Amino acid sequence: MHSTLQRLIPGLLSMALASGLALPAASASAKTLKWASAGEIPTWDPHSQNLSLTNGVHAWVYESLVYYNKKFEIEPMLATKWELKTPTQMRFYLRKGVRFHDGSTLTADDVVFSIARARDKQSNFGIYAQGIDKVVKVDDLTVDILLEAPNPVLLRQLTELRILNKAWAEKNNSVRPKDARSKDETFAHRNTNGTGPMMLKEWQTDVKSVLVRNPNWWGKLEDDITEVIYLPIKSDATRTAALLSGEVDMLLDPPPQDTPRLRQNDRLKVLEGAENRTIFLGMDQFSNELPGSDVKGRNPLKDVRVRKALYQAIDIEAIRRSIMRGQSQPTGSIIATQVLGWNKDNDKRLPFDVNAAKALLAQAGYPNGFEVTMDCPNNRYINDEEICQAVVAMWSKAGVRARLKTQPLATYFPQLLRHETSIYMLGWGVPTFDALYSLQSLVRSKGAGGDGNYNIGRYSNPQMDALIERIKKETDEKNRLELIHKALLLHNQEVAHIPLHNQVIPWAMKKNITMTHRADNRVDIRWVKIQ
């Protein structure tokens, strides 16, 4: 399919965008949803790689105890109710009669097993289990989650801890999750057994994922969707052509340069909103020497003056205007405005000033700049590769000579998790809508329970660690917000990362498709309608 579309692009795309290509009308009985974005789903193991696109699709197959409704309020899922027995003991009552896709019945044993699996060292989901001491079976349909200390965001964390069948995992040698840093595969990497409304039928890596309706699901979809086909299409032009030709029904990430013209096509519609995802650059602040750099015996990125110089050499308005076509919100914070803890004071950017950047580099001992490598994904975020190319060009004006390497997310993220990068791009959404998730993942020193699980640059500061530990346990809302603001201010003062912008996410689709646009950029199959 992709090669055929590629051959058609020169004529098809120009004609379609110019004149508004008529799309084939959907059959009234059509119950297949075909959608696409640039990124691939790198694994079907629900406790392996913590990536937003992957998690969103996994949620169709594997369910959690609780989840979000359309207003991002917590609602029952596999648990029908819960109660706080003590400040450190939460009891959950499981839904009766829920069956996994292989026909086995959900029990407390599956919940205890799954949360323990998510806490495994090979999992990237420990961040969602932070603060949990242990999970205890009370009876077949009741579990207690015992906490190390009161946890004000436990329920929001649990939205991402999906439940799989213990017996199935044991039978298929998948007790531990697939290690995202390794190429080794487990059975759960390519096979699924959840309780959700969709079942994985086929997965061709980098080609398509096919899911079919679970006829025994306990819940109800808004429409009788019988099949979903997801297509990872890296090329912007190919994705746009696929929508315009009717090959796909919906694009999760229409290219910014095409979005205005897609709006004008009377057979399409575009839904738009700000995402709770911040795009930023991270830097190795741990290694004593950067591989591939012409600076020997020391690491320039350990010097805050160098990090400030890199920050101030970036013309973020030029990126917003020329690359993002206005579809971004420049930011000075590592959390978006929808996230609890955001405030204006911590959202102020350092000013773009090439001369100031040069002066800072000279003060740090690099009057002629230096060489460094930079890594960037080319199919994960909106215009990710183009942004990195622009940043490299901007840095060159300040004297920093960055050699850019771009690669697809399937190889990019394992490299990051192995800490094989000097400077890198990352986009961080916040599933809990609480700043702790970002602070604990990105700037807490590496440790147990999800601490520093995406602290790729290995930034470490005892003052920051102490603030985050207090944020984890503080239940007084006013005191907790003050602690979050202090941590965000410290992050900015030390330039632990270089924030770029919050993504604005348009979704483009045929007019017969109805979806609920979400700030976490996830398509929720429960609310999709095909007219």
Side-chain angles (χ1 to χ4, degrees):
M1 181 203 69
H2 296 168
S3 60
T4 300
L5 281 172
Q6 195 71 49
R7 292 194 297 270
L8 292 174
I9 285 173
L12 174 64
L13 184 58
S14 58
M15 177 178 68
L17 289 175
S19 59
L21 181 68
L23 301 176
S27 165
S29 61
K31 296 302 176 183
T32 294
L33 173 71
K34 262 191 171 182
W35 65 296
S37 75
E40 168 63 310
I41 298 168
T43 182
W44 282 94
D45 189 317
H47 302 135
S48 178
Q49 294 199 40
N50 180 21
L51 303 173
S52 179
L53 173 68
T54 304
N55 295 350
V57 179
H58 281 184
W60 303 358
V61 176
Y62 290 102
E63 296 175 301
S64 47
L65 293 177
V66 297
Y67 206 49
Y68 292 125
N69 62 18
K70 292 181 180 181
K71 296 180 180 180
F72 288 102
E73 299 165 334
I74 297 296
E75 68 176 5
M77 189 60 72
L78 292 180
T80 57
K81 63 179 181 178
W82 48 92
E83 57 185 351
L84 195 63
K85 305 293 286 186
T86 74
T88 58
Q89 178 188 6
M90 182 81 83
R91 177 161 293 178
F92 292 84
Y93 300 89
L94 303 184
R95 191 177 298 276
K96 297 179 181 179
V98 173
R99 294 192 176 275
F100 287 94
H101 297 159
D102 68 355
S104 57
T105 302
L106 170 75
T107 71
D109 292 324
D110 302 307
V111 175
V112 173
F113 167 77
S114 296
I115 296 180
R117 190 176 189 268
R119 300 174 70 192
D120 188 282
K121 290 182 179 179
Q122 292 185 175
S123 170
N124 273 319
F125 284 77
I127 184 70
Y128 300 111
Q130 80 82 21
I132 294 177
D133 182 28
K134 56 184 175 180
V135 184
V136 178
K137 174 182 177 179
V138 177
D139 58 41
D140 281 350
L141 290 175
T142 312
V143 294
D144 280 351
I145 294 182
L146 305 180
L147 304 172
E148 297 167 353
N151 183 348
V153 290
L154 175 64
L155 290 176
R156 291 186 174 272
Q157 291 174 189
L158 291 175
T159 62
E160 294 297 271
L161 293 180
R162 281 168 272 281
I163 309 303
L164 77 166
N165 181 251
K166 177 185 178 183
W168 178 85
E170 291 174 340
K171 176 184 176 181
N172 293 293
N173 298 316
S174 294
V175 171
R176 300 189 71 188
K178 171 179 165 46
D179 189 340
R181 299 163 295 183
S182 169
K183 294 182 180 180
D184 294 339
E185 294 188 5
T186 63
F187 188 79
H189 173 61
R190 294 187 175 274
N191 301 274
T192 64
N193 186 28
T195 59
M198 306 302 293
M199 303 183 294
L200 180 64
K201 176 183 178 182
E202 178 185 359
W203 179 38
Q204 297 182 39
T205 308
D206 293 323
V207 178
K208 66 178 178 179
S209 294
V210 180
L211 299 101
V212 295
R213 179 74 177 272
N214 172 15
N216 299 313
W217 186 47
W218 58 268
K220 182 176 177 58
L221 302 179
E222 288 193 1
D223 197 0
D224 188 23
I225 307 294
T226 55
E227 181 183 53
V228 178
I229 300 174
Y230 173 72
L231 304 172
I233 306 176
K234 175 183 171 183
S235 165
D236 287 351
T238 308
R239 286 201 312 283
T240 299
L243 178 63
L244 290 165
S245 69
E247 180 69 22
V248 301
D249 302 309
M250 181 263 187
L251 295 185
L252 189 71
D253 51 358
Q257 63 270 22
D258 292 339
T259 304
R261 289 174 285 181
L262 293 176
R263 295 182 195 278
Q264 296 172 7
N265 190 305
D266 61 8
R267 301 301 300 276
L268 301 175
K269 61 183 177 183
V270 177
L271 305 181
E272 186 174 86
E275 187 180 12
N276 68 342
R277 177 180 305 280
T278 302
I279 307 297
F280 58 83
L281 302 178
M283 297 155 286
D284 180 348
Q285 298 163 61
F286 176 82
S287 300
N288 292 324
E289 181 177 306
L290 299 175
S293 175
D294 60 351
V295 177
K296 304 302 178 183
R298 56 177 170 160
N299 176 357
L301 300 176
K302 286 188 175 185
D303 193 317
V304 68
R305 293 169 296 186
V306 171
R307 301 196 295 272
K308 284 184 178 179
L310 294 175
Y311 190 149
Q312 293 199 251
I314 296 174
D315 186 348
I316 195 64
E317 283 298 328
I319 291 174
R320 183 191 67 82
R321 182 177 62 253
S322 301
I323 297 176
M324 300 303 293
R325 303 297 204 278
Q327 294 179 19
S328 64
Q329 299 173 336
T331 182
S333 177
I334 56 165
I335 61 171
T337 55
Q338 306 99 320
V339 178
L340 180 69
W342 177 91
N343 68 357
K344 290 183 178 180
D345 291 341
N346 286 321
D347 199 32
K348 296 176 181 176
R349 287 188 62 82
L350 291 177
F352 166 57
D353 189 332
V354 176
N355 290 330
K358 290 179 178 179
L360 284 166
L361 288 171
Q363 292 170 19
Y366 307 100
N368 299 315
F370 58 91
E371 294 180 1
V372 68
T373 59
M374 179 179 181
D375 294 286
C376 186
N378 57 24
N379 67 340
R380 178 61 191 98
Y381 313 114
I382 300 174
N383 286 345
D384 42 18
E385 184 172 11
E386 292 85 351
I387 293 169
C388 290
Q389 290 170 343
V391 168
V392 166
M394 292 170 184
W395 282 346
S396 68
K397 295 179 181 179
V400 175
R401 301 171 295 282
R403 295 185 303 279
L404 179 62
K405 175 186 176 184
T406 64
Q407 54 188 316
L409 66 88
T411 53
Y412 180 72
F413 282 97
Q415 176 186 333
L416 293 192
L417 292 171
R418 294 192 299 266
H419 303 287
E420 297 172 356
T421 182
S422 296
I423 300 178
Y424 59 94
M425 170 185 274
L426 194 61
W428 199 250
V430 187
T432 63
F433 289 82
D434 187 279
L436 172 63
Y437 178 77
S438 297
L439 292 167
Q440 184 185 2
S441 297
L442 301 176
V443 292
R444 175 66 170 83
S445 296
K446 281 188 168 294
D451 286 345
N453 66 328
Y454 265 86
N455 186 350
I456 306 301
R458 288 174 284 185
Y459 165 89
S460 184
N461 182 326
Q463 183 182 356
M464 179 69 80
D465 292 347
L467 284 168
I468 293 172
E469 289 306 303
R470 292 178 64 189
I471 293 167
K472 287 181 182 180
K473 303 168 185 176
E474 181 58 68
T475 56
D476 181 272
E477 184 174 349
K478 181 180 178 181
N479 292 341
R480 192 168 183 273
L481 280 174
E482 289 179 356
L483 292 170
I484 289 173
H485 294 161
K486 287 180 180 178
L488 292 172
L489 177 61
L490 180 59
H491 173 280
N492 291 356
Q493 290 171 340
E494 298 209 321
V495 192
H497 300 88
I498 300 174
L500 297 176
H501 58 245
N502 301 321
Q503 288 192 154
V504 174
I505 46 171
W507 294 355
M509 65 198 73
K510 297 176 182 177
K511 281 196 172 177
N512 69 314
I513 304 295
T514 300
M515 293 183 174
T516 298
H517 191 279
R518 291 172 53 126
D520 58 4
N521 202 25
R522 297 186 184 185
V523 176
D524 195 319
I525 194 63
R526 296 176 298 170
W527 309 324
V528 176
K529 293 182 181 179
I530 303 176
Q531 299 172 343

